[in-house]
């Protein structure tokens, strides 16, 4: 992956944190921009159109949650990766972040090597989704074939119902990304008025019964994500 093509915006009110992250991301070859609060972050994002934005949650003038919410309403940032950076460990902060459109959540104190690895992995999702020329996903011991609507686990065929397959394919298309219930409903069931959140839960349970528990994780109060445990 050529990181030189990727622009990253860091929005944090602590100069030391901004400098630490900026230094390590520049070493990786990224173009890095900074802002010291949510208001500046929104303005800078509109100016540079970054591929990924790192947002602190607690900031003066405008916090990261509000900045993310505003940016997600703009067409230019519908697909921009949003990563929250915070020292707060309360579950409601994480849920609030995912509810306004966050793609990931990284806790302080910053560990530079872990941070850059996480950013690299997130941006690889974008490369994979841009390429998306194949109808087959191979992840761990799973092969998910969209053309035949079949799944193979360690070489053994697993037959899924159509919606079960579509749900698995959606989650597996971006490993590690949290899909909210609203996004799942929109992508899998579209505008059906008879589908509820309970429907999603039932399909997730059936996937786990057929494939085991190690692929689909629940993010409490938010939705689901695919990851190999």
């Amino acid at each position: 992956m050529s990181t030189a093509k990727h622009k990253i915006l860091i929005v944090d009110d602590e100069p030391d944190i901004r400098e630490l992250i900026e230094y390590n991301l520049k070493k990786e070859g990224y173009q890095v921009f900074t802002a010291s609060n949510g208001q500046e972050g929104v303005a800078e994002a509109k100016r540079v159109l970054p591929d990924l934005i790192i947002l602190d949650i607690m900031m003066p003038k405008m916090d990261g949650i509000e900045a993310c919410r505003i940016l997600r309403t703009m067409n230019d940032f519908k697909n921009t990766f949003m990563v929250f950076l915070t020292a707060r460990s309360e579950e409601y902060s994480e849920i609030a972040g995912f509810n306004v459109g966050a793609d990931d959540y990284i806790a302080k104190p910053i560990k530079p090597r872990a941070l850059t690895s996480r950013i690299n992995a997130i941006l690889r999702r974008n490369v994979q989704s841009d390429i998306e020329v194949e109808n087959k996903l191979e992840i761990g011991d799973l092969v998910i074939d969209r053309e035949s609507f079949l799944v193979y686990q360690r070489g053994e065929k697993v037959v899924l119902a159509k919606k079960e397959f579509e749900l698995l394919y959606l989650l597996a298309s971006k490993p590690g990304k949290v899909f909210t219930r609203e996004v799942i409903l929109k992508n899998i069931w579209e505008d059906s008025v008879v589908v509820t959140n309970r429907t999603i839960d039932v399909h997730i349970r059936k996937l786990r019964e057929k494939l085991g528990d190690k692929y689909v994780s629940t993010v409490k109060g938010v939705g689901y994500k695919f990851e190999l445990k």
Side-chain angles (χ1 to χ4, degrees):
M1 178 184 64
S2 176
T3 61
K5 295 180 180 179
H6 291 296
K7 294 183 287 188
I8 297 178
L9 172 62
I10 304 163
V11 187
D12 196 300
D13 62 322
E14 298 182 57
D16 291 347
I17 296 293
R18 291 198 307 270
E19 291 171 11
L20 175 65
I21 299 174
E22 180 179 12
Y23 172 76
N24 283 278
L25 291 179
K26 282 185 172 179
K27 279 175 58 179
E28 292 287 308
Y30 293 111
Q31 299 178 60
V32 182
F33 305 86
T34 63
S36 60
N37 61 62
Q39 287 183 353
E40 289 182 9
V42 171
E44 187 71 354
K46 290 192 285 186
R47 186 182 75 84
V48 303
L49 298 178
D51 301 289
L52 182 146
I53 302 174
I54 300 173
L55 289 158
D56 187 27
I57 286 188
M58 297 299 294
M59 292 185 289
K61 296 186 179 179
M62 182 188 293
D63 63 28
I65 299 289
E66 180 64 10
C68 181
R69 187 192 65 77
I70 290 171
L71 290 169
R72 284 297 194 212
T73 66
M74 304 177 189
N75 287 331
D76 285 338
F77 303 101
K78 294 290 187 183
N79 298 312
T80 302
F81 289 107
M82 305 278 185
V83 177
F84 277 111
L85 183 70
T86 181
R88 300 177 68 179
S89 59
E90 295 94 333
E91 186 178 79
Y92 71 83
S93 296
E94 187 168 350
I95 291 173
F98 284 127
N99 282 339
V100 295
D103 294 285
D104 212 336
Y105 187 97
I106 299 174
K108 296 177 181 178
I110 302 299
K111 298 178 181 178
R113 186 173 298 177
L115 175 72
T116 55
S117 294
R118 183 81 66 88
I119 297 303
N120 290 342
I122 292 169
L123 285 168
R124 273 198 297 270
R125 299 178 197 165
N126 197 41
V127 173
Q128 291 165 353
S129 63
D130 285 346
I131 295 173
E132 202 167 354
V133 293
E134 48 191 355
N135 285 317
K136 184 180 294 185
L137 297 177
E138 297 186 25
I139 307 174
D141 57 7
L142 287 183
V143 176
I144 308 169
D145 190 332
R146 190 164 59 179
E147 289 190 338
S148 65
F149 273 80
L150 288 175
V151 175
Y152 296 87
Q153 184 180 43
R154 294 184 292 276
E156 296 291 326
K157 184 169 69 175
V158 180
V159 179
L160 301 179
K162 185 173 184 290
K163 292 300 184 185
E164 293 168 10
F165 179 91
E166 290 175 350
L167 177 56
L168 176 65
Y169 192 93
L170 175 67
L171 298 176
S173 67
K174 292 187 177 181
K177 175 181 173 59
V178 178
F179 287 86
T180 65
R181 293 173 179 274
E182 291 76 14
V183 169
I184 292 172
L185 285 172
K186 181 178 179 180
N187 279 272
I188 305 301
W189 283 275
E190 298 177 342
D191 297 321
S192 174
V193 295
V194 298
V195 175
T196 66
N197 286 338
R198 178 60 181 161
T199 302
I200 299 175
D201 297 337
V202 170
H203 281 72
I204 292 291
R205 177 174 56 78
K206 289 180 178 177
L207 282 177
R208 287 171 172 161
E209 288 174 355
K210 294 177 179 181
L211 297 173
D213 295 333
K214 72 175 185 176
Y215 303 105
V216 180
S217 296
T218 302
V219 180
K220 188 177 179 182
V222 183
Y224 298 96
K225 65 179 178 177
F226 183 97
E227 61 180 354
L228 294 176
K229 301 176 184 177

